[in-house]
Amino acid sequence: MRLFTCLLACVIFFTTAGVNVMADDTENKPGADYIKWVDFDIPAGALGKAMDIDIKTYDSGSHISWIETLAVLGTKYGGEWKKYKASDMDKISQRLGENETPEQILEGYENYSYFYGAYSAVLSGFLGEYEKEAPDKENPGGKILKSGYGLKAYSPIAEGFHFSHYRDFGASRGYGYRRSHLGNDLCGSVGTPITAVEAGTVEEMGWNKYGGWRIGIRSFDQKRYYYYAHLRKGHPYAQNIKIGDEIQAGTVIGYMGMTGYSEKEDVNNMKIPHLHFGLQLIFDESQKDGDNQIWVDVYQLVELLQRNRATVERTEPSKEYVRKYNLYDERFPNPQRAPRKDTAPLYPAG
């Protein structure tokens, strides 16, 4: 029933610019200054399979990049991922593992550079080396530090909190004016902790008449802008978070709510509680707030990221949720290293 209600009732628009420009494909040909259009519809199964291969081969002599694998397949399919077969990926990854280059595999095909650039812009912050706190089974309540390479991006919904979603990207929205829905609505309960998908800098916070209380975080490479909207009335954000803060992936940034669709601040005008989660790609800074914005369908990414949900705990007396196990990397080194225990690479990193 909740999912059915979500299908009928989740309505949102999250940016005052309000358009997702689908430029003519010729603008993505070699010689264009920057990419102006990305259609991202790689199935979660294909994303997961390519990622698993990447992680498995990382310490081998023939590391197979998941972005290269996906870009080769995207080129062969002409971007039409309805053609996807797992056996196709097996063949491509085998050839890449034998040190064939994408250019050798794609002899006679065009536009690999476009697909690699587009998929890299979406996925480049997801995998990497890290150190991750984990429970110490020999010392209940204690933590150990594990080293590994794997998934560093997190689900926007914390572990242990239910949500439902469906493919709503591009659906019609009517508040204020007619437009398309440029994100994915994750339906759940008021107060559900929302966590940062990727590390980055808090770029925007505050009230928006469409998205209500919202927060925007830019990835450190500046290519991805993550947008979280409809946060909780009265207490939308995690304590002490502010514009300019550098946030680790998996950090609690706010709480699910029903705010938005109102000129007046702190008003619940959503029909049911949900998080609007959006991802904007930025190849040129003019795209950030201009008329040529690129927002991608994140449904399959949300499905993939259910592999990695941040464990949170409630603190007293503030009753704020905070992450329980930190993740450290080059950008966020561990200030006080936990007692080290050699382990196999931790996967997933959640």
Side-chain angles (χ1 to χ4, degrees):
M1 178 61 72
R2 178 176 290 274
L3 177 58
F4 178 72
T5 305
C6 183
L7 287 164
L8 293 177
C10 280
V11 289
I12 166 61
F13 184 71
F14 55 84
T15 177
T16 55
V19 290
N20 183 25
V21 173
M22 295 298 183
D24 187 273
D25 187 53
T26 57
E27 298 188 28
N28 291 314
K29 300 299 184 184
D33 291 334
Y34 53 87
I35 291 175
K36 298 177 176 66
W37 168 66
V38 173
D39 185 10
F40 188 82
D41 61 350
I42 304 175
L47 291 169
K49 182 177 176 67
M51 183 175 69
D52 290 340
I53 294 170
D54 184 308
I55 294 168
K56 183 178 180 179
T57 61
Y58 182 70
D59 289 325
S60 71
S62 299
H63 178 217
I64 302 171
S65 162
W66 71 320
I67 296 175
E68 283 191 0
T69 301
L70 295 168
V72 170
L73 283 172
T75 304
K76 281 182 169 288
Y77 295 151
E80 297 180 13
W81 279 89
K82 292 181 180 180
K83 299 177 181 179
Y84 171 68
K85 297 178 182 178
S87 59
D88 291 342
M89 185 175 294
D90 291 334
K91 294 173 184 176
I92 295 301
S93 60
Q94 180 178 351
R95 295 181 67 178
L96 289 171
E98 293 170 352
N99 296 319
E100 286 192 67
T101 66
E103 290 74 18
Q104 289 172 325
I105 296 171
L106 291 170
E107 185 176 358
Y109 288 88
E110 297 181 352
N111 296 328
Y112 171 76
S113 61
Y114 161 71
F115 285 104
Y116 183 85
Y119 295 167
S120 179
V122 178
L123 301 171
S124 60
F126 280 44
L127 295 185
E129 295 182 345
Y130 56 79
E131 292 181 317
K132 175 71 167 64
E133 292 177 347
D136 186 349
K137 295 180 181 180
E138 298 176 7
N139 179 25
K143 299 177 183 179
I144 60 173
L145 196 65
K146 295 184 177 183
S147 295
Y149 169 86
L151 183 58
K152 298 199 301 181
Y154 287 80
S155 168
I157 305 296
E159 181 184 34
F161 291 84
H162 172 76
F163 75 93
S164 61
H165 70 140
Y166 66 101
R167 300 204 68 167
D168 54 348
F169 188 85
S172 178
R173 294 294 185 259
Y175 177 79
Y177 60 94
R178 183 67 59 184
R179 61 195 176 278
S180 296
H181 184 230
L182 304 180
N184 189 205
D185 287 341
L186 313 183
C187 302
S189 301
V190 171
T192 293
I194 305 304
T195 59
V197 169
E198 185 185 347
T201 304
V202 177
E203 194 166 88
E204 294 183 13
M205 291 179 68
W207 183 261
N208 176 286
K209 66 181 180 180
Y210 301 104
W213 294 120
R214 87 284 193 240
I215 184 169
I217 297 177
R218 181 83 79 98
S219 64
F220 289 129
D221 67 4
Q222 301 297 298
K223 290 186 177 181
R224 289 168 299 288
Y225 175 75
Y226 294 94
Y227 186 86
Y228 311 81
H230 301 316
L231 302 181
R232 182 171 60 184
K233 179 180 179 179
H235 191 167
Y237 305 117
Q239 194 172 36
N240 299 324
I241 194 169
K242 61 185 184 300
I243 291 176
D245 285 351
E246 292 190 347
I247 302 294
Q248 292 174 295
T251 298
V252 177
I253 57 175
Y255 301 96
M256 185 182 293
M258 302 173 63
T259 61
Y261 277 27
S262 172
E263 297 280 355
K264 185 179 178 181
E265 290 189 2
D266 209 27
V267 172
N268 282 337
N269 268 342
M270 294 290 96
K271 296 183 184 296
I272 68 167
H274 68 279
L275 171 73
H276 172 93
F277 173 54
L279 174 58
Q280 182 186 11
L281 302 183
I282 302 167
F283 297 93
D284 183 87
E285 201 58 30
S286 66
Q287 295 176 303
K288 175 61 172 61
D289 298 311
D291 292 335
N292 58 342
Q293 296 177 22
I294 301 174
W295 294 89
V296 297
D297 187 346
V298 293
Y299 177 85
Q300 302 292 354
L301 292 179
V302 172
E303 287 289 291
L304 177 73
L305 291 173
Q306 292 201 55
R307 291 187 177 203
N308 196 26
R309 300 176 69 176
T311 304
V312 299
E313 57 186 354
R314 201 169 189 181
T315 60
E316 299 293 345
S318 69
K319 300 191 184 301
E320 291 276 351
Y321 281 99
V322 298
R323 70 185 306 161
K324 189 171 183 178
Y325 302 111
N326 284 312
L327 177 113
Y328 304 106
D329 57 15
E330 291 182 357
R331 190 78 186 205
F332 293 98
N334 185 6
Q336 294 180 332
R337 293 178 64 87
R340 183 66 177 269
K341 293 190 177 182
D342 292 330
T343 66
L346 182 66
Y347 173 69

